[in-house]
Amino acid sequence: MITSPSSLRRSERSRRATLDAALELCTEKGYGRVTVEAIAARAGVSKKTIYRWWPSKGAVTLEAFADMLVGATPFVDTGEIAADLRTHVNGLVRLISTPPYGPAYAGILSEMHHDDDLARAVREQLVGPRVEAAVARLRRAQEQGQIPAGADLPLAVELLYGPVYYRHVLRKPAQDEATVAALVDHVLRSLSAGDGRPPENGGSTVPAPTPASG
């Protein structure tokens, strides 16, 4: 089982050098060609040191990606849920569309299909905490009356993230800001479909399409 390395047992300089080396090599060689030996050589640490802190190259790359993800995709709260979700999703799109983070995360997603421990770590250390943070932000909007009380918030998060990762995994062009705005609007509108009213105070700003005339 993969566990987070203890910061008490390692040098922060060596940790940072190792994480940076893993990201650089993912960009230069592609994740599949990166080895722990190459990471160690680039970072100036021993292979034994890396294995003392991480069980695999996937675990190294996951920590490097997760470190950046938290800072690049904040869940801001300006009081307007649509604007805040656009900020969040645009940050995510930029991160996974830009080397070295895009190639690194693509490699992690591929590797986790063959590594149960890595898959568990991705869920527990990356996906789970981010979903919880997203649900918490939606819940605050719900408490403010911007989202209906009966809305399924975990499902809303899947609807929000699903198209982003679909494009990333299939190497389709990343969403631009207009597409992200349309995605956010669609998700918020779908949450309000049950009670027949649009979100309030910063919710949907795009009018519903007008039916074509016969």
Side-chain angles (χ1 to χ4, degrees), residues 93-108:
V93 170
R94 284 192 296 271
L95 182 69
I96 65 175
S97 302
T98 305
Y101 304 103
Y105 194 50
I108 293 168

PDB file of all heavy atoms in Angstrom, residues 93-108:
ATOM      1  N   VAL A  93      -7.896  22.834 -16.406  1.00  0.00           N
ATOM      2  CA  VAL A  93      -7.629  22.633 -17.828  1.00  0.00           C
ATOM      3  C   VAL A  93      -6.231  23.118 -18.189  1.00  0.00           C
ATOM      4  O   VAL A  93      -5.485  22.438 -18.917  1.00  0.00           O
ATOM      5  CB  VAL A  93      -8.689  23.353 -18.683  1.00  0.00           C
ATOM      6  CG1 VAL A  93      -8.282  23.367 -20.156  1.00  0.00           C
ATOM      7  CG2 VAL A  93     -10.053  22.682 -18.533  1.00  0.00           C
ATOM      8  N   ARG A  94      -5.857  24.285 -17.692  1.00  0.00           N
ATOM      9  CA  ARG A  94      -4.515  24.798 -17.985  1.00  0.00           C
ATOM     10  C   ARG A  94      -3.434  23.863 -17.449  1.00  0.00           C
ATOM     11  O   ARG A  94      -2.427  23.612 -18.121  1.00  0.00           O
ATOM     12  CB  ARG A  94      -4.344  26.192 -17.384  1.00  0.00           C
ATOM     13  CG  ARG A  94      -5.043  27.297 -18.150  1.00  0.00           C
ATOM     14  CD  ARG A  94      -4.591  28.655 -17.677  1.00  0.00           C
ATOM     15  NE  ARG A  94      -4.963  28.912 -16.289  1.00  0.00           N
ATOM     16  CZ  ARG A  94      -6.113  29.466 -15.914  1.00  0.00           C
ATOM     17  NH1 ARG A  94      -7.015  29.814 -16.834  1.00  0.00           N
ATOM     18  NH2 ARG A  94      -6.377  29.678 -14.641  1.00  0.00           N
ATOM     19  N   LEU A  95      -3.647  23.326 -16.256  1.00  0.00           N
ATOM     20  CA  LEU A  95      -2.634  22.473 -15.647  1.00  0.00           C
ATOM     21  C   LEU A  95      -2.421  21.196 -16.447  1.00  0.00           C
ATOM     22  O   LEU A  95      -1.292  20.842 -16.781  1.00  0.00           O
ATOM     23  CB  LEU A  95      -3.026  22.125 -14.207  1.00  0.00           C
ATOM     24  CG  LEU A  95      -2.013  21.274 -13.441  1.00  0.00           C
ATOM     25  CD1 LEU A  95      -0.752  22.075 -13.158  1.00  0.00           C
ATOM     26  CD2 LEU A  95      -2.612  20.750 -12.135  1.00  0.00           C
ATOM     27  N   ILE A  96      -3.492  20.494 -16.765  1.00  0.00           N
ATOM     28  CA  ILE A  96      -3.330  19.198 -17.424  1.00  0.00           C
ATOM     29  C   ILE A  96      -3.082  19.334 -18.928  1.00  0.00           C
ATOM     30  O   ILE A  96      -2.843  18.332 -19.608  1.00  0.00           O
ATOM     31  CB  ILE A  96      -4.530  18.268 -17.163  1.00  0.00           C
ATOM     32  CG1 ILE A  96      -5.810  18.816 -17.777  1.00  0.00           C
ATOM     33  CG2 ILE A  96      -4.699  18.023 -15.677  1.00  0.00           C
ATOM     34  CD1 ILE A  96      -6.994  17.868 -17.640  1.00  0.00           C
ATOM     35  N   SER A  97      -3.111  20.572 -19.434  1.00  0.00           N
ATOM     36  CA  SER A  97      -2.812  20.798 -20.844  1.00  0.00           C
ATOM     37  C   SER A  97      -1.386  21.286 -21.054  1.00  0.00           C
ATOM     38  O   SER A  97      -0.975  21.516 -22.194  1.00  0.00           O
ATOM     39  CB  SER A  97      -3.789  21.832 -21.430  1.00  0.00           C
ATOM     40  OG  SER A  97      -5.119  21.420 -21.291  1.00  0.00           O
ATOM     41  N   THR A  98      -0.641  21.456 -19.965  1.00  0.00           N
ATOM     42  CA  THR A  98       0.673  22.088 -20.038  1.00  0.00           C
ATOM     43  C   THR A  98       1.754  21.150 -19.516  1.00  0.00           C
ATOM     44  O   THR A  98       1.623  20.603 -18.421  1.00  0.00           O
ATOM     45  CB  THR A  98       0.678  23.375 -19.189  1.00  0.00           C
ATOM     46  OG1 THR A  98      -0.399  24.225 -19.609  1.00  0.00           O
ATOM     47  CG2 THR A  98       1.993  24.118 -19.342  1.00  0.00           C
ATOM     48  N   PRO A  99       2.831  20.959 -20.296  1.00  0.00           N
ATOM     49  CA  PRO A  99       3.969  20.214 -19.756  1.00  0.00           C
ATOM     50  C   PRO A  99       4.570  20.973 -18.572  1.00  0.00           C
ATOM     51  O   PRO A  99       4.553  22.215 -18.586  1.00  0.00           O
ATOM     52  CB  PRO A  99       4.951  20.171 -20.933  1.00  0.00           C
ATOM     53  CG  PRO A  99       4.099  20.400 -22.149  1.00  0.00           C
ATOM     54  CD  PRO A  99       3.030  21.351 -21.697  1.00  0.00           C
ATOM     55  N   PRO A 100       5.100  20.283 -17.579  1.00  0.00           N
ATOM     56  CA  PRO A 100       5.239  18.828 -17.509  1.00  0.00           C
ATOM     57  C   PRO A 100       4.043  18.117 -16.888  1.00  0.00           C
ATOM     58  O   PRO A 100       4.026  16.893 -16.821  1.00  0.00           O
ATOM     59  CB  PRO A 100       6.464  18.671 -16.597  1.00  0.00           C
ATOM     60  CG  PRO A 100       6.341  19.812 -15.639  1.00  0.00           C
ATOM     61  CD  PRO A 100       5.797  20.959 -16.459  1.00  0.00           C
ATOM     62  N   TYR A 101       3.030  18.872 -16.436  1.00  0.00           N
ATOM     63  CA  TYR A 101       1.967  18.261 -15.644  1.00  0.00           C
ATOM     64  C   TYR A 101       1.015  17.407 -16.473  1.00  0.00           C
ATOM     65  O   TYR A 101       0.575  16.353 -16.012  1.00  0.00           O
ATOM     66  CB  TYR A 101       1.217  19.352 -14.874  1.00  0.00           C
ATOM     67  CG  TYR A 101       2.167  20.146 -14.029  1.00  0.00           C
ATOM     68  CD1 TYR A 101       2.581  21.414 -14.421  1.00  0.00           C
ATOM     69  CD2 TYR A 101       2.716  19.597 -12.876  1.00  0.00           C
ATOM     70  CE1 TYR A 101       3.504  22.127 -13.660  1.00  0.00           C
ATOM     71  CE2 TYR A 101       3.639  20.299 -12.115  1.00  0.00           C
ATOM     72  CZ  TYR A 101       4.027  21.566 -12.511  1.00  0.00           C
ATOM     73  OH  TYR A 101       4.951  22.257 -11.778  1.00  0.00           O
ATOM     74  N   GLY A 102       0.710  17.834 -17.697  1.00  0.00           N
ATOM     75  CA  GLY A 102      -0.149  17.025 -18.543  1.00  0.00           C
ATOM     76  C   GLY A 102       0.435  15.657 -18.842  1.00  0.00           C
ATOM     77  O   GLY A 102      -0.213  14.625 -18.606  1.00  0.00           O
ATOM     78  N   PRO A 103       1.674  15.586 -19.346  1.00  0.00           N
ATOM     79  CA  PRO A 103       2.281  14.274 -19.603  1.00  0.00           C
ATOM     80  C   PRO A 103       2.413  13.418 -18.342  1.00  0.00           C
ATOM     81  O   PRO A 103       2.232  12.200 -18.392  1.00  0.00           O
ATOM     82  CB  PRO A 103       3.660  14.640 -20.163  1.00  0.00           C
ATOM     83  CG  PRO A 103       3.480  15.983 -20.763  1.00  0.00           C
ATOM     84  CD  PRO A 103       2.507  16.685 -19.868  1.00  0.00           C
ATOM     85  N   ALA A 104       2.725  14.061 -17.229  1.00  0.00           N
ATOM     86  CA  ALA A 104       2.867  13.307 -15.980  1.00  0.00           C
ATOM     87  C   ALA A 104       1.539  12.681 -15.568  1.00  0.00           C
ATOM     88  O   ALA A 104       1.469  11.494 -15.212  1.00  0.00           O
ATOM     89  CB  ALA A 104       3.390  14.212 -14.869  1.00  0.00           C
ATOM     90  N   TYR A 105       0.468  13.452 -15.624  1.00  0.00           N
ATOM     91  CA  TYR A 105      -0.819  12.922 -15.193  1.00  0.00           C
ATOM     92  C   TYR A 105      -1.337  11.868 -16.160  1.00  0.00           C
ATOM     93  O   TYR A 105      -1.950  10.884 -15.744  1.00  0.00           O
ATOM     94  CB  TYR A 105      -1.836  14.046 -15.031  1.00  0.00           C
ATOM     95  CG  TYR A 105      -3.060  13.606 -14.265  1.00  0.00           C
ATOM     96  CD1 TYR A 105      -2.926  12.933 -13.044  1.00  0.00           C
ATOM     97  CD2 TYR A 105      -4.338  13.850 -14.733  1.00  0.00           C
ATOM     98  CE1 TYR A 105      -4.040  12.519 -12.328  1.00  0.00           C
ATOM     99  CE2 TYR A 105      -5.456  13.437 -14.027  1.00  0.00           C
ATOM    100  CZ  TYR A 105      -5.301  12.771 -12.828  1.00  0.00           C
ATOM    101  OH  TYR A 105      -6.402  12.360 -12.125  1.00  0.00           O
ATOM    102  N   ALA A 106      -1.090  12.056 -17.460  1.00  0.00           N
ATOM    103  CA  ALA A 106      -1.488  11.028 -18.429  1.00  0.00           C
ATOM    104  C   ALA A 106      -0.789   9.712 -18.112  1.00  0.00           C
ATOM    105  O   ALA A 106      -1.388   8.629 -18.198  1.00  0.00           O
ATOM    106  CB  ALA A 106      -1.154  11.492 -19.846  1.00  0.00           C
ATOM    107  N   GLY A 107       0.481   9.799 -17.720  1.00  0.00           N
ATOM    108  CA  GLY A 107       1.215   8.595 -17.353  1.00  0.00           C
ATOM    109  C   GLY A 107       0.660   7.930 -16.113  1.00  0.00           C
ATOM    110  O   GLY A 107       0.546   6.701 -16.047  1.00  0.00           O
ATOM    111  N   ILE A 108       0.299   8.730 -15.123  1.00  0.00           N
ATOM    112  CA  ILE A 108      -0.288   8.191 -13.895  1.00  0.00           C
ATOM    113  C   ILE A 108      -1.589   7.457 -14.207  1.00  0.00           C
ATOM    114  O   ILE A 108      -1.838   6.344 -13.727  1.00  0.00           O
ATOM    115  CB  ILE A 108      -0.543   9.322 -12.888  1.00  0.00           C
ATOM    116  CG1 ILE A 108       0.783   9.904 -12.396  1.00  0.00           C
ATOM    117  CG2 ILE A 108      -1.364   8.812 -11.696  1.00  0.00           C
ATOM    118  CD1 ILE A 108       0.624  11.198 -11.619  1.00  0.00           C
TER     119      ILE A 108
END
